[in-house]
Amino acid sequence: MHRTKKFGTETAGSDENEHSSSMSRIESLNTELSKRSADLTVDLGISELRESKRGDKLHFYRHQVAGHYPIFWKSGVICKPIQKNELEFYKHVEENIPHLVPFIPRYLGVVTVNHYQLPPTPTDMKNDREVSKHTSETAEFNRFNQWGLRCHQKKKQALKNRSMINYIRLEDLTLPFSRPNILDLKIGTRVYGVGDDPKKVQRKIAKSAATTTKTLGLRLCGMQVYNSHDDGYTFRDKFYGRNLDENGLIHSIDEFFTNEKGHRKKILDNFITQILKLLTVISEQKSFQFFSSSLLFICEGCHPEDQKRLHGTIKNGDYDRVDLRFIDFAQAAVDTEKKGVDEGFLLGLQNIVDILRNVKEKDMTSQRSGNEPPVPVSLPNGENQGGKDTSETIEVVEKEGESV
């Protein structure tokens, strides 16, 4: 016997009962999806790749909200350190799961660089001109995502010790946005891979046991939300996410979908529709098992009027533009037994749909009752919000190559 938790409920039962219940929920969700309008304003096409005017040098990427090693940017393309399983997945996904391709970043091959080609971290740069020279064009604001900066600071020496470094090249999904709001949610109740050694498995299980991964199959890995009042971002990292209880996670998701006028109902609808489509594709395929993968939510954080007022130009005139992608396949494994995706992963996808519906319904209830729309919360990193004290979580020790 084991226990799993659907958002808002708790059940106990056998694997067969659990599978039957899960499949029933998926059929219900698919029925709902078929009734939705096909012309919702959702753009899941391939983002346009722009050539950088700075040549082919590697640049610091400002929008890294999660991950273990630093991500770089080159000629409109993301350069991410290669993980063997992830590379194999990208090379074979189109052949095995063609319907999944629109939901993942476009794979553009592999690039090899020398360590001396890596840009300096922002703290090594002496002035604003040097910062501009070495950072990507995807946002011209004067703040770095704190997590990307941390990865650069912690791993720069390890990268310098390698004579050659191989990177996967992926499309930069933030290119169409002026000030991208980004939310990275890890999906599933299992956080270790098929080939992990027993000690690593136990470490990962222990790290995630007290988090929302175990109860909901969801965990916040990173988030950034733009605020036009100070032309800056509120950042959340994985340590913050580990310390959230269920209410805290829901509050953070609520925060992501809230602006000064209330909840952004239109993008909530669009994201729900896309997750339902992804859920259908994932549940029907039996080519890969997915462990410790994430959903990446991207939407515009700066209204066109504010873009013009604050930055002198309108880069993205569609404030309701969204992009939902399935990412992070370092623990993906070929499904040799054709079992299909595990129940913990489906649980996470189902729960995020329920949470987004709950956020939307709360806003509708608030409007019907005549209440004022909620004010977005903007707490500094480390403050308690629906979880445990996070003031010392930055000191958590991680084994080399692990990211839970």
Side-chain angles (χ1 to χ4, degrees):
M1 296 285 286
H2 63 282
R3 304 183 74 83
T4 61
K5 188 162 185 178
K6 174 182 176 291
F7 174 61
T9 65
E10 186 167 343
T11 60
S14 66
D15 287 339
E16 292 182 0
N17 291 336
E18 209 172 290
H19 180 75
S20 176
S21 174
S22 180
M23 291 301 102
S24 176
R25 287 191 69 202
I26 292 172
E27 290 176 5
S28 176
L29 291 170
N30 286 342
T31 300
E32 175 189 338
L33 176 59
S34 67
K35 296 177 182 178
R36 284 176 170 258
S37 173
D39 61 354
L40 282 171
T41 55
V42 178
D43 181 4
L44 275 178
I46 301 302
S47 298
E48 179 182 358
L49 298 178
R50 300 186 311 178
E51 284 300 315
S52 170
K53 295 180 181 180
R54 303 183 184 129
D56 291 328
K57 292 182 179 179
L58 286 174
H59 302 279
F60 175 85
Y61 186 56
R62 295 177 182 254
H63 296 307
Q64 182 176 353
V65 300
H68 194 62
Y69 273 85
I71 293 174
F72 298 103
W73 187 91
K74 181 179 182 180
S75 300
V77 174
I78 295 298
C79 297
K80 179 181 180 183
I82 284 182
Q83 299 281 346
K84 181 180 178 181
N85 286 6
E86 185 163 49
L87 179 60
E88 291 302 309
F89 169 80
Y90 275 115
K91 289 167 68 174
H92 297 101
V93 62
E94 187 168 3
E95 174 186 351
N96 291 284
I97 324 176
H99 294 303
L100 187 60
V101 173
F103 292 95
I104 62 175
R106 183 184 180 190
Y107 170 67
L108 299 167
V110 174
V111 62
T112 301
V113 301
N114 294 308
H115 71 86
Y116 61 80
Q117 294 176 284
L118 300 178
T121 58
T123 52
D124 295 334
M125 300 176 190
K126 300 176 182 178
N127 53 53
D128 291 342
R129 178 175 296 181
E130 190 173 0
V131 170
S132 176
K133 177 181 176 182
H134 290 287
T135 56
S136 69
E137 293 179 331
T138 53
E140 293 77 14
F141 59 95
N142 59 358
R143 291 187 59 188
F144 297 96
N145 185 290
Q146 297 171 5
W147 186 256
L149 180 59
R150 180 182 185 273
C151 289
H152 277 251
Q153 292 169 335
K154 288 180 67 69
K155 297 299 182 182
K156 62 181 179 181
Q157 189 57 50
L159 293 174
K160 287 181 179 179
N161 291 337
R162 303 181 185 180
S163 58
M164 303 293 289
I165 309 167
N166 296 319
Y167 290 92
I168 287 180
R169 300 172 68 246
L170 302 172
E171 64 170 321
D172 179 4
L173 301 171
T174 67
L175 274 179
F177 300 90
S178 172
R179 299 295 184 270
N181 286 353
I182 303 173
L183 173 64
D184 184 324
L185 291 179
K186 190 178 291 292
I187 307 297
T189 56
R190 173 171 165 172
V191 295
Y192 56 90
V194 173
D196 287 350
D197 67 74
K199 290 184 178 179
K200 179 181 284 190
V201 169
Q202 290 305 312
R203 285 197 301 269
K204 290 187 174 184
I205 291 175
K207 282 183 180 180
S208 63
T211 72
T212 52
T213 288
K214 183 176 181 180
T215 57
L216 294 178
L218 295 169
R219 189 169 81 244
L220 189 151
C221 287
M223 185 172 83
Q224 66 178 42
V225 179
Y226 178 76
N227 184 345
S228 61
H229 292 301
D230 57 12
D231 196 21
Y233 277 84
T234 295
F235 299 109
R236 303 282 187 254
D237 61 29
K238 74 174 183 180
F239 298 115
Y240 180 90
R242 282 182 190 171
N243 283 274
L244 293 174
D245 60 15
E246 292 175 22
N247 289 332
L249 175 63
I250 294 167
H251 173 88
S252 294
I253 294 172
D254 185 291
E255 176 187 3
F256 182 78
F257 289 100
T258 303
N259 62 17
E260 63 277 3
K261 295 181 180 179
H263 291 112
R264 299 177 64 180
K265 179 180 178 297
K266 191 169 185 178
I267 67 170
L268 275 165
D269 278 336
N270 290 349
F271 276 123
I272 290 171
T273 297
Q274 294 310 309
I275 297 171
L276 290 172
K277 291 179 180 179
L278 176 62
L279 181 57
T280 300
V281 174
I282 291 293
S283 61
E284 292 178 351
Q285 66 84 37
K286 293 186 178 181
S287 296
F288 287 94
Q289 289 278 343
F290 299 105
F291 306 114
S292 205
S293 294
S294 290
L295 277 187
L296 191 71
F297 298 74
I298 308 176
C299 63
E300 181 58 65
C302 189
H303 195 276
E305 292 180 2
D306 291 325
Q307 294 177 39
K308 181 67 174 178
R309 175 176 61 86
L310 294 170
H311 315 128
T313 185
I314 298 176
K315 179 179 180 182
N316 175 27
D318 183 4
Y319 187 56
D320 295 318
R321 179 169 189 158
V322 302
D323 201 341
L324 176 83
R325 299 299 174 110
F326 187 33
I327 63 169
D328 294 340
F329 306 108
Q331 304 297 345
V334 175
D335 189 358
T336 55
E337 298 181 15
K338 303 300 179 184
K339 293 180 178 179
V341 70
D342 77 308
E343 295 300 318
F345 194 88
L346 294 178
L347 175 73
L349 288 177
Q350 293 158 357
N351 277 335
I352 185 57
V353 170
D354 290 344
I355 289 172
L356 295 186
R357 285 173 174 160
N358 182 268
V359 169
K360 176 184 170 184
E361 180 60 30
K362 186 176 79 169
D363 189 49
M364 294 173 64
T365 302
S366 175
Q367 292 177 8
R368 286 195 297 266
S369 64
N371 294 334
E372 292 295 322
V375 177
V377 176
S378 182
L379 300 175
N381 282 347
E383 283 195 23
N384 184 32
Q385 180 59 57
K388 300 179 284 292
D389 177 25
T390 63
S391 59
E392 297 183 1
T393 55
I394 200 72
E395 300 301 327
V396 173
V397 176
E398 296 176 343
K399 295 289 183 177
E400 183 70 20
E402 282 187 33
S403 182
V404 178

